[in-house]
């Protein structure tokens, strides 16, 4: 029996890779479209399905996925996986009467995009980074439009400029709820430092940040309140060592209340993923950005970090330069100045796009209207 939507508005599909950087913007758009009355489905893979809180209340389909990396045998296996996922996505789109697909990048978004085009559906791509990701580059020739998160997104040469819309990067409701004034920063105030490594954490932060903090002057250590995300065996030992040095430290593998901690932070040390950048800009917080030290398709973090640092929101520190001595000096100078961090916070907030989900939903609806 065919699937009949109980709603009068067309069904929209989103496709996102399995990291939070891809899935969270898809979630934000899906919830905005659902609020407007559209039935919505998200296509992802098993890692994406693990974000149960993000997907709560949203229809989603877990498709098989495999990276194209590897030798000939790996590419052949990936090709077969993509074929299976494309067939499954195509059947689900037919059952739900999907009318448009929004792809958010990551190799698991490739098969749903191919399925959509095989059904002659319009395809929108959303790029979270300052440079087009590998998956979106591969799909660009099939796209009816591209939504970007930065005004100058690299990798779009030759694509019709009239079909590129700078929407910003949609963020979760918890991040929107964290917006507000920059926390008071004076000689008597606490200095709140948030250290997070993105959805995959960052072991280097647990290795470099604690000794850097121990090298700070005592006058700064006594005012520090540190939230450090660290996934490792030494979590308790790191916390005890920092507390013994007079630092109010909380070290956890994961923070459920990330929005509240970001709201309260004076400074953030973090990776430079696109969703992390969108969260920072939405709330308006300065940051020390440490891009993942990888080339090729993952080099977008370096570009994100350099773009944001050039805009004045903080510092880009390549991981090879992230030594305890360098970081300690940077932090001491920033915390000692009455203007450096507030000025960076204002620059960050000026680039924020809190209406990104709504703007992207408008683009989805206008694209639908043109293809109806």
């Amino acid at each position: 029996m065919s699937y009949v939507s109980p709603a009068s508005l067309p069904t929209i599909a989103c496709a996102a890779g399995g990291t939070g950087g891809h899935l969270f913007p898809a979630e934000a758009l899906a919830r905005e479209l659902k609020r407007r009355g559209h039935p919505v489905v998200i296509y992802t893979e098993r890692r994406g399905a693990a974000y149960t809180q993000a997907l709560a209340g949203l229809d989603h389909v877990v498709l098989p996925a495999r990276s194209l990396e590897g030798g000939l045998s790996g590419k052949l296996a990936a090709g077969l996986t993509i074929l299976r996922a494309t067939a499954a996505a195509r059947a689900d789109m037919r059952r739900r009467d999907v009318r448009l697909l929004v792809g958010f990048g990551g190799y698991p978004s490739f098969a749903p995009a191919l399925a959509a085009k095989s059904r002659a559906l319009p395809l929108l791509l959303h790029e979270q980074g300052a440079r087009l990701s590998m998956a979106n580059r591969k799909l660009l020739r099939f796209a009816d439009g591209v939504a970007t998160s930065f005004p100058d997104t690299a990798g779009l040469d030759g694509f019709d400029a009239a079909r590129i819309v700078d929407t910003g990067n949609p963020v979760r409701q918890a991040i929107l709820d964290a917006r507000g004034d920059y926390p008071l920063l004076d000689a008597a105030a606490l200095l709140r430092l948030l250290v997070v490594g993105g959805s995959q954490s960052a072991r280097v932060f647990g290795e470099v940040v604690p000794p850097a903090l121990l090298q700070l002057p005592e006058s700064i250590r006594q005012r520090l309140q540190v939230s450090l995300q660290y996934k490792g065996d030494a979590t308790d030992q790191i916390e005890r060592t920092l507390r013994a040095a007079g630092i109010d430290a909380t070290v956890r593998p994961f923070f459920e209340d990330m929005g509240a901690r970001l709201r309260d932070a004076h400074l953030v040390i973090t990776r430079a993923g696109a969703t992390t950048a969108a969260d920072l800009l939405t709330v308006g917080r300065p940051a020390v950005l440490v891009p993942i030290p990888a080339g090729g398709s993952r080099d977008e973090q370096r570009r994100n970090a350099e773009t944001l640092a050039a805009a004045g929101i903080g510092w880009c520190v390549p991981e090879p330069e992230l030594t305890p001595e360098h970081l300690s000096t940077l932090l001491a100078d920033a915390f000692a100045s009455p203007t450096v961090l507030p000025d960076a916070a204002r620059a960050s907030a000026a680039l924020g796009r809190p209406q990104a989900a709504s703007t992207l939903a408008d683009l989805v609806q206008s694209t639908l209207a043109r293809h109806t």
Side-chain angles (χ1 to χ4, degrees), residues 291-357:
I292 291 176
S297 63
R298 303 187 75 179
D299 200 41
E300 65 266 15
Q301 284 215 8
R302 176 190 59 79
R303 186 178 178 91
N304 292 345
E306 291 175 350
T307 298
L308 296 178
I313 79 149
W315 301 263
C316 172
V317 181
E319 189 168 308
E321 300 175 19
L322 188 72
T323 64
E325 294 75 21
H326 182 176
L327 182 59
S328 183
T329 299
L330 189 159
L331 294 176
D333 291 345
F335 286 138
S337 170
T339 59
V340 166
L341 292 178
D343 286 350
R346 281 189 289 272
S348 180
L351 294 175
R353 306 289 292 277
Q355 300 301 319

Side-chain angles (χ1 to χ4, degrees), residues 249-264:
T250 301
V251 184
R252 298 287 184 272
F254 186 76
F255 292 118
E256 295 286 353
D257 56 343
M258 187 60 70
R261 290 181 188 270
L262 186 57
R263 178 197 63 212
D264 294 340

Side-chain angles (χ1 to χ4, degrees), residues 27-361:
E27 176 209 351
L29 174 64
R31 295 195 186 281
E32 174 62 21
L33 289 169
K34 189 174 180 181
R35 186 188 66 79
R36 297 184 183 196
H38 285 278
V40 182
V41 60
I42 295 179
Y43 297 110
T44 187
E45 43 98 38
R46 59 177 181 79
R47 293 180 304 156
Y51 290 96
T52 54
Q53 186 174 0
L55 293 171
L58 295 172
D59 285 349
H60 60 280
V61 175
V62 181
L63 298 173
R66 178 169 176 156
S67 171
L68 288 168
E69 295 178 357
L72 178 60
S73 61
K75 286 180 169 55
L76 288 173
L80 291 174
T81 300
I82 290 172
L83 286 175
R84 292 200 307 272
T86 299
R90 179 181 167 85
D92 190 76
M93 289 176 185
R94 182 174 61 250
R95 182 175 69 86
R96 296 176 189 272
D97 192 21
V98 169
R99 301 295 181 86
L100 180 146
L101 177 80
V102 186
F104 285 84
Y107 61 84
S109 70
F110 202 77
L114 294 180
K117 295 314 293 182
S118 74
R119 290 184 51 78
L121 301 180
L123 169 66
L124 283 177
L125 299 179
H126 182 273
E127 179 53 54
Q128 296 92 58
R131 181 181 184 83
L132 214 61
S133 66
M134 181 175 67
N136 280 345
R137 287 200 304 272
K138 298 284 188 184
L139 292 170
L140 189 60
R141 57 181 164 168
F142 304 116
D144 296 275
V146 177
T148 63
S149 301
F150 292 87
D152 298 313
T153 299
L156 286 167
D157 297 340
F159 193 78
D160 183 4
R163 294 188 287 147
I164 302 172
V165 180
D166 177 22
T167 62
N169 192 5
V171 300
R172 296 161 287 167
Q173 188 61 47
I175 301 301
L176 292 174
D177 291 343
R179 298 174 67 222
D181 294 337
Y182 185 67
L184 178 68
L185 185 63
D186 60 28
L190 287 173
L191 299 170
R192 295 189 178 93
L193 177 66
L194 175 62
V195 186
V196 290
S199 60
Q200 300 181 42
S201 189
R203 187 174 187 85
V204 67
F205 291 166
E207 297 169 348
V208 173
V209 173
L213 299 181
L214 295 178
Q215 294 180 28
L216 290 170
E218 183 179 0
S219 58
I220 293 179
R221 294 201 311 269
Q222 291 179 344
R223 295 170 58 200
L224 267 181
Q225 190 175 76
V226 179
S227 298
L228 170 61
Q229 181 195 53
Y230 179 67
K231 297 179 181 179
D233 297 332
T235 300
D236 292 340
Q237 180 59 50
I238 291 173
E239 186 172 296
R240 285 195 299 269
T241 299
L242 292 176
R243 288 183 175 273
I247 298 171
D248 181 0
T250 301
V251 184
R252 298 287 184 272
F254 186 76
F255 292 118
E256 295 286 353
D257 56 343
M258 187 60 70
R261 290 181 188 270
L262 186 57
R263 178 197 63 212
D264 294 340
H266 291 100
L267 178 63
V268 183
I269 301 175
T270 184
R271 289 299 196 192
T275 294
T276 296
D279 291 352
L280 286 170
L281 300 179
T282 298
V283 181
R285 295 297 177 264
V288 177
L289 298 158
V290 185
I292 291 176
S297 63
R298 303 187 75 179
D299 200 41
E300 65 266 15
Q301 284 215 8
R302 176 190 59 79
R303 186 178 178 91
N304 292 345
E306 291 175 350
T307 298
L308 296 178
I313 79 149
W315 301 263
C316 172
V317 181
E319 189 168 308
E321 300 175 19
L322 188 72
T323 64
E325 294 75 21
H326 182 176
L327 182 59
S328 183
T329 299
L330 189 159
L331 294 176
D333 291 345
F335 286 138
S337 170
T339 59
V340 166
L341 292 178
D343 286 350
R346 281 189 289 272
S348 180
L351 294 175
R353 306 289 292 277
Q355 300 301 319
S358 179
T359 304
L360 183 55

